[in-house]
Amino acid sequence: MSSIEQKRVLTTEIPGPRSKALHERKVASVSAGVGVGLPVYVERAGGGIIVDVDGNQLIDFGSGIAVTTVGNAAPRVVERVREQVQDFTHTCFMVTPYAEYLDVAESLNELTPGTHEKRSALFNSGAEAVENAVKVARHFTGRQAVVAFDHAYHGRTNLTMGLTAKNMPYKHKFGPFAGEIYRAPMSYPYRWPGGPADCAKESFDVFTSMVHAQVGEDNVAAVIIEPIQGEGGFIVPAPGFLKQVNEWCTANGILPIADEVQTGFCRTGDWFACDYEDVVPDLITTAKGMAGGLPLAGVTGRADVMDAVHGSGLGGTYGGNPVACAAAIGAIETMKAEDLCGRAKQIETLFMGRLHTLAEKFPQIGDIRGRGAMLAIELVTGAGDITPNSALTAAVNKACHAQGLVTLTCGTYGNVFRFLPPLAASDDLLSEGLDIFETEFTRAAGA
Ligand code: PLZ
């Protein structure tokens, strides 16, 4: 347990005077291109509480974008990191290796979907993992094209910007983007033109005919998909869509890549979101929750695919840094010891009950979706009009921040309010956060 009392405390307005002073330094020293969602400056954090420099204690509903799944400064993570940092901080795995990297690779091979023989490689960020998954897929297949989906988010490097769908803020004026990237419509039940009931079949048909007509199956190295889309709006594809795409890829010599950077490691109530639909992708990318807050990412895949790359074809100075690996070992231990997949399911029940009750009163809540502790509401004009309501989304977000609740939005149209609490947060703390959210939503939605 964290030594920080797990409750909200407001001692100043949010942000307080010390945060404001620091923010002035930020403006003068940090590129304006690096945005900040809520300019409260952090002093400490533990469990589901963030303590700012003014002594306010904020409730965390964002986990640093799905990273501190095991809780902030989780005890086993801290302990492992402390030990590792004293022993050695870096040698570069490509120069003189160490066992901690192997521990993480073995865990990834064991925990990711499928019982087949696997290999892993470690990197620093989700984007870097995606880049490397594409490198591996191209190398193995000898093909170049990569198919991604509408609303996809895969990172901010050049290749991953190309895979990411949304222009602002990710891509605007940052082109040209890498070639041989093609985009298919996403299976998005809420906004599927023919309605949710036929979405699985129709979206799969549209996908296959698009690839056939515009790319050619034989040219496609990989199809990359987030099993639940993250930044694009917590879009859960129609049931069966993922499995159909996965099987179609296999039938066509294409490697399916599941980007589980945001969904992985207990977040959705399973170790990986693919587990829920019994999907076994050839390649899977991971990061975020895996290392409890330290930068670490992985590509895990079929042994024959991962081993096809020539020696020294994959790597990087810091990939699989020993301190980050130690953190991952501590985080994975915590997930197992505390059954955090089970905990994510409990959180789903708690949140879903409250969100559905709220939706009965507010037609602006057009859709409630997600799994485990990766949940969202899509806000619309209401009363049969599903025009995205980004103004209400932003207003609720701002109001929650002012009350010391750290919340996040997402979505291609900026109209999705998402919930990504740490799985270590208690029911009491989560309920307190939900009370604040409900109050602020009610006020902003005007009932
Ligand atoms: N793939 C599915 O969700 C990161 C990005 C926030 P990095 N999502 C949060 C922002 O505005 O930059 C993400 C993801 C999926 C890849 C990534 C990229 O992971 O560790 O941020 O590179």
Side-chain angles (χ1 to χ4, degrees):
M1 271 304 283
S2 171
S3 62
I4 299 170
E5 199 187 350
Q6 295 294 297
K7 72 185 245 264
R8 182 181 65 143
V9 178
L10 296 187
T11 59
T12 68
E13 59 172 5
I14 303 289
R18 289 196 169 142
S19 277
K20 281 186 178 148
L22 286 170
H23 202 59
E24 279 176 26
R25 284 173 53 196
K26 185 270 177 196
V27 171
S29 63
V30 179
S31 163
V34 180
V36 170
L38 170 56
V40 296
Y41 283 73
V42 179
E43 198 163 83
R44 284 185 302 145
I49 288 286
I50 294 173
V51 184
D52 76 7
V53 289
D54 291 288
N56 296 298
Q57 299 204 164
L58 294 87
I59 299 175
D60 185 7
F61 268 14
S63 303
I65 321 188
V67 172
T68 53
T69 301
V70 292
N72 219 310
R76 287 183 183 85
V77 173
V78 172
E79 193 50 42
R80 290 281 190 171
V81 165
R82 205 195 300 276
E83 282 169 15
Q84 181 58 44
V85 90
Q86 278 170 347
D87 289 347
F88 65 96
T89 50
H90 174 85
T91 60
C92 186
F93 189 78
M94 301 184 304
V95 179
T96 48
Y98 37 87
E100 290 76 7
Y101 189 118
L102 313 183
D103 292 338
V104 175
E106 285 164 4
S107 288
L108 281 167
N109 297 347
E110 177 209 317
L111 295 169
T112 50
T115 52
H116 55 287
E117 177 99 7
K118 292 176 215 155
R119 301 282 186 270
S120 288
L122 301 180
F123 303 97
N124 303 291
S125 67
E128 210 190 338
V130 171
E131 293 258 353
N132 279 280
V134 171
K135 279 166 69 172
V136 169
R138 284 180 169 155
H139 193 107
F140 179 79
T141 59
R143 304 173 178 182
Q144 294 187 351
V146 180
V147 179
F149 289 85
D150 283 340
H151 311 288
Y153 184 91
H154 298 291
R156 293 177 184 257
T157 58
N158 186 267
L159 174 67
T160 60
M161 262 193 298
L163 294 168
T164 291
K166 188 176 176 177
N167 178 47
M168 275 302 255
Y170 310 123
K171 301 170 74 165
H172 185 61
K173 293 194 177 183
F174 292 142
F177 305 112
E180 287 305 312
I181 293 169
Y182 300 87
R183 195 169 304 287
M186 177 61 182
S187 179
Y188 186 171
Y190 181 62
R191 292 189 180 277
W192 191 255
D198 295 324
C199 179
K201 187 191 174 303
E202 289 179 11
S203 53
F204 177 68
D205 289 348
V206 172
F207 161 74
T208 53
S209 59
M210 173 269 167
V211 176
H212 181 74
Q214 298 184 35
V215 197
E217 294 83 348
D218 292 353
N219 297 317
V220 181
V223 172
I224 182 162
I225 190 162
E226 300 153 83
I228 296 178
Q229 287 183 321
E231 303 308 300
F234 281 28
I235 299 164
V236 185
F241 177 76
L242 288 175
K243 204 171 174 71
Q244 276 185 293
V245 169
N246 206 64
E247 284 168 3
W248 175 88
C249 283
T250 304
N252 286 282
I254 298 166
L255 297 176
I257 304 173
D259 182 349
E260 293 241 20
V261 165
Q262 189 154 167
T263 47
F265 286 98
C266 301
R267 177 51 61 184
T268 64
D270 289 289
W271 278 99
F272 294 93
C274 280
D275 293 328
Y276 186 84
E277 290 208 49
D278 201 19
V279 168
V280 180
D282 288 329
L283 289 164
I284 172 164
T285 53
T286 50
K288 290 191 185 274
M290 164 159 60
L294 273 80
L296 186 68
V299 179
T300 301
R302 269 167 49 190
D304 59 329
V305 173
M306 295 293 288
D307 282 343
V309 179
H310 52 278
S312 301
L314 302 174
T317 305
Y318 295 114
N321 167 275
V323 182
C325 285
I329 295 163
I332 293 167
E333 271 173 9
T334 308
M335 292 174 197
K336 288 183 177 169
E338 298 179 6
D339 181 25
L340 290 189
C341 287
R343 179 66 190 139
K345 291 189 180 123
Q346 291 171 348
I347 291 175
E348 176 179 339
T349 306
L350 174 72
F351 274 68
M352 280 301 199
R354 301 277 296 254
L355 294 175
H356 279 282
T357 307
L358 197 65
E360 280 165 22
K361 285 187 244 158
F362 292 99
Q364 296 99 321
I365 301 180
D367 195 23
I368 303 175
R369 58 181 179 246
R371 268 204 314 272
M374 182 173 182
L375 303 172
I377 51 176
E378 175 159 356
L379 302 182
V380 296
T381 303
D385 182 348
I386 65 164
T387 305
N389 195 339
S390 60
L392 177 60
T393 311
V396 178
N397 199 40
K398 200 167 161 228
C400 288
H401 290 176
Q403 294 302 319
L405 180 64
V406 182
T407 49
L408 299 172
T409 63
C410 62
T412 302
Y413 316 112
N415 67 324
V416 179
F417 199 95
R418 59 172 152 171
F419 303 92
L420 284 168
L423 304 183
S426 67
D427 279 355
D428 283 351
L429 190 70
L430 296 174
S431 299
E432 192 185 342
L434 280 165
D435 291 344
I436 298 164
F437 167 73
E438 272 175 23
T439 305
E440 296 313 318
F441 187 91
T442 304
R443 208 193 309 264

